């Protein structure tokens, strides 16, 4: 039987590869793991506990303010980052503005974190897989001062670490610091994330395409051309492919990462800049997929090259196995948009 490697041990081993490292990033990753264990507990009990059911703003029978699960998760992560001391500020999908932490310890923190505490809003209340997505950057502003908007608006290429937690049939934490991708499964019996997917690589191609096909008639016609290609019969390339769409980005992404596949959410008239957010949805997943051998683009440029201008900036998102992304790109490039 091989020895179990816990996330904590793994992080410590990696830190030892950098003798000058102060351990702050290790502690921060550990804080994310602890917060996600607490969120796992809340997600698992969501149907049982009445203060995390229902829309936020409602008052339950005890006269208490009800909290939505995504707000519970947001508070949990923020508390962890604020108390941890490694982070000077955060940007979250749940908060209109970024937050600069006020304590002296936090002002000395080297890092900022951009995150989506609980992604997959349409699936939260219906017991379908959801996830947390996070991105870590070195601050630009001087240590000892408050975090600034500039700290938050860095291109994905500057990420120090990026990853996600999937609350699926088991909870998994997957992350990269730019030296490959590793996945850890939470063993609920011992309360530890254990290395289950070392050095993850995504297949060069696959047989799964994931999009909200309800949008097919209203997006760039190149997407229709690509989905028709996916649906054509051709035994030599394994087509027709399977269409699989959970509607939780983390879950769709994770399946495709492992099995080989492509996820795309184009711009639409309802979401003219795209639906997904660059800073805390697309960039971390782009970092993971590139480290795993895949690609991420908005259809015109690499996701991680985009210079952000807004905290909640949206983009079109195409992510997955290299050959599949290239094929979709070819369909986009060779299909004219009707005037
Ligand atoms: P959210 O941040 O409000 O949860 O939105 C992000 C989600 C993704 O998880 C998912 O892939 C997509 O939006 C689903 O959108 P749609 O319901 O339009 O298919
Ligand atoms: Mg989201």
């Amino acid at each position: 039987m091989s020895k179990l490697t816990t996330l904590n041990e793994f992080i410590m081993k990696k830190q030892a590869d950098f003798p000058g490292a102060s351990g702050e990033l290790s502690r921060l990753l550990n804080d994310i793991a602890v917060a996600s264990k607490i969120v796992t507990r809340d997600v698992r009990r969501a149907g049982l506990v009445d203060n995390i059911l229902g829309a936020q703003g409602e008052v339950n029978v005890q006269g208490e303010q009800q909290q939505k699960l995504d707000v519970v998760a947001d508070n949990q992560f923020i508390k962890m980052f604020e108390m941890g001391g490694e982070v000077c500020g955060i940007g979250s999908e749940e908060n209109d503005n970024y937050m600069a932490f006020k304590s002296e310890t936090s002002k000395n923190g080297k890092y900022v974190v951009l995150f989506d505490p609980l992604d997959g809003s349409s699936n939260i209340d219906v017991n379908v897989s959801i996830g947390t997505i996070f991105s870590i950057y070195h601050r630009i502003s001087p240590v000892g001062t408050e975090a600034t908007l500039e700290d938050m608006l860095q291109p994905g290429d500057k990420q120090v670490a990026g990853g996600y937690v999937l609350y699926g049939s088991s909870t998994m934490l997957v992350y990269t610091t730019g030296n490959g991708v590793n996945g850890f499964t939470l063993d609920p019996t011992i309360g530890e994330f254990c290395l289950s997917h070392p050095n993850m690589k995504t297949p060069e191609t696959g047989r799964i395409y994931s999009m909200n096909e309800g949008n097919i008639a209203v997006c760039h016609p190149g997407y229709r051309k690509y989905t028709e290609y996916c649906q054509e019969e051709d035994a030599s390339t394994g087509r027709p492919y399977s269409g699989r769409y959970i509607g939780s980005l983390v879950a769709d992404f994770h399946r495709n990462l492992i099995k080989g596949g492509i996820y795309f959410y184009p711009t639409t008239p309802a979401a003219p800049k795209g639906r997904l957010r660059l800073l805390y949805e697309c960039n971390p997943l782009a970092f993971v997929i590139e480290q795993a051998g895949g690609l991420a683009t908005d259809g015109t440029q690499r996701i991680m090259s985009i210079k952000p201008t807004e905290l909640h900036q949206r983009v079109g998102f195409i992510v997955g196995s290299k050959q599949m992304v290239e094929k979709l790109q070819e369909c986009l490039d060779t299909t004219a948009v009707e005037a």
Side-chain angles (χ1 to χ4, degrees):
M1 203 174 88
S2 60
K3 187 188 168 299
L4 203 77
T5 303
T6 66
L7 175 64
N8 205 9
E9 256 181 284
F10 183 88
I11 292 172
M12 289 306 161
K13 257 191 233 159
K14 292 283 162 202
Q15 189 189 318
D17 293 344
F18 299 92
S22 62
E24 282 164 86
L25 180 62
S26 300
R27 286 198 292 278
L28 173 50
L29 289 168
N30 203 47
D31 285 349
I32 290 174
V34 173
S36 71
K37 284 185 209 175
I38 297 170
V39 171
T40 297
R41 181 201 63 194
D42 293 339
V43 168
R44 301 284 177 237
R45 293 195 311 177
L48 299 171
V49 184
D50 71 355
N51 69 348
I52 49 179
L53 276 176
Q56 210 206 358
E58 289 172 14
V59 174
N60 68 14
V61 282
Q62 286 89 28
E64 294 161 347
Q65 198 72 22
Q66 289 185 333
Q67 286 216 305
K68 273 177 75 178
L69 202 49
D70 41 11
V71 176
V72 171
D74 192 42
N75 291 339
Q76 193 55 58
F77 278 99
I78 292 176
K79 197 158 74 183
M80 204 54 109
F81 295 138
E82 195 164 15
M83 305 306 286
E86 293 84 32
V87 176
C88 60
I90 59 105
S92 155
E93 182 181 316
E94 294 299 324
N95 300 288
D96 290 349
N97 297 316
Y98 75 94
M99 287 170 73
F101 297 144
K102 305 289 178 209
S103 77
E104 288 309 311
T105 325
S106 295
K107 281 195 237 167
N108 283 318
K110 278 192 204 153
Y111 296 101
V112 293
V113 184
L114 283 302
F115 67 104
D116 183 351
L118 216 47
D119 182 68
S121 45
S122 66
N123 288 326
I124 290 177
D125 291 336
V126 291
N127 205 4
V128 175
S129 297
I130 45 184
T132 296
I133 317 175
F134 61 90
S135 186
I136 301 173
Y137 293 84
H138 280 297
R139 69 187 302 171
I140 296 172
S141 57
V143 170
T145 62
E146 282 186 22
T148 63
L149 182 59
E150 201 195 355
D151 293 328
M152 310 290 154
L153 300 183
Q154 302 188 53
D157 274 329
K158 295 272 184 214
Q159 287 173 103
V160 173
Y164 59 86
V165 182
L166 171 62
Y167 309 99
S169 43
S170 57
T171 296
M172 269 198 79
L173 189 153
V174 175
Y175 80 99
T176 181
T177 53
N179 284 304
V181 180
N182 291 283
F184 301 80
T185 303
L186 181 62
D187 180 339
T189 61
I190 57 169
E192 294 278 3
F193 279 105
C194 301
L195 182 61
S196 52
H197 295 65
N199 194 21
M200 296 172 86
K201 291 287 168 209
T202 196
E204 282 262 304
T205 189
R207 294 194 54 255
I208 297 172
Y209 72 99
S210 313
M211 99 169 275
N212 180 344
E213 277 193 86
N215 289 327
I216 199 71
V218 295
C219 57
H220 187 295
Y223 290 96
R224 185 191 286 276
K225 187 169 173 188
Y226 181 69
T227 54
E228 284 171 0
Y229 166 84
C230 293
Q231 292 158 9
E232 265 164 27
E233 195 175 3
D234 177 8
S236 70
T237 51
R239 287 177 292 144
Y241 295 159
S242 293
R244 292 276 183 277
Y245 188 69
I246 297 168
S248 276
L249 177 60
V250 172
D252 281 307
F253 176 89
H254 183 72
R255 180 201 52 238
N256 293 354
L257 170 69
I258 291 179
K259 295 193 165 190
I262 184 169
Y263 172 101
F264 40 100
Y265 207 118
T267 60
T268 64
K273 293 186 172 164
R275 166 144 170 79
L276 299 171
R277 271 57 53 120
L278 174 62
L279 291 177
Y280 43 78
E281 294 178 325
C282 303
N283 269 335
L285 299 185
F287 196 13
V288 170
I289 203 73
E290 285 199 5
Q291 285 292 316
L295 296 174
T297 167
D298 70 353
T300 61
Q301 58 180 323
R302 256 180 87 240
I303 289 291
M304 289 201 290
S305 308
I306 299 172
K307 172 78 187 89
T309 52
E310 286 168 46
L311 189 59
H312 299 289
Q313 187 167 338
R314 294 177 190 261
V315 279
F317 193 39
I318 302 169
V319 65
S321 293
K322 184 168 178 290
Q323 289 175 21
M324 298 178 88
V325 173
E326 285 169 352
K327 180 69 192 175
L328 171 52
Q329 187 69 58
E330 181 193 309
C331 291
L332 292 172
D333 293 345
T334 55
T335 313
V337 184
E338 280 171 33

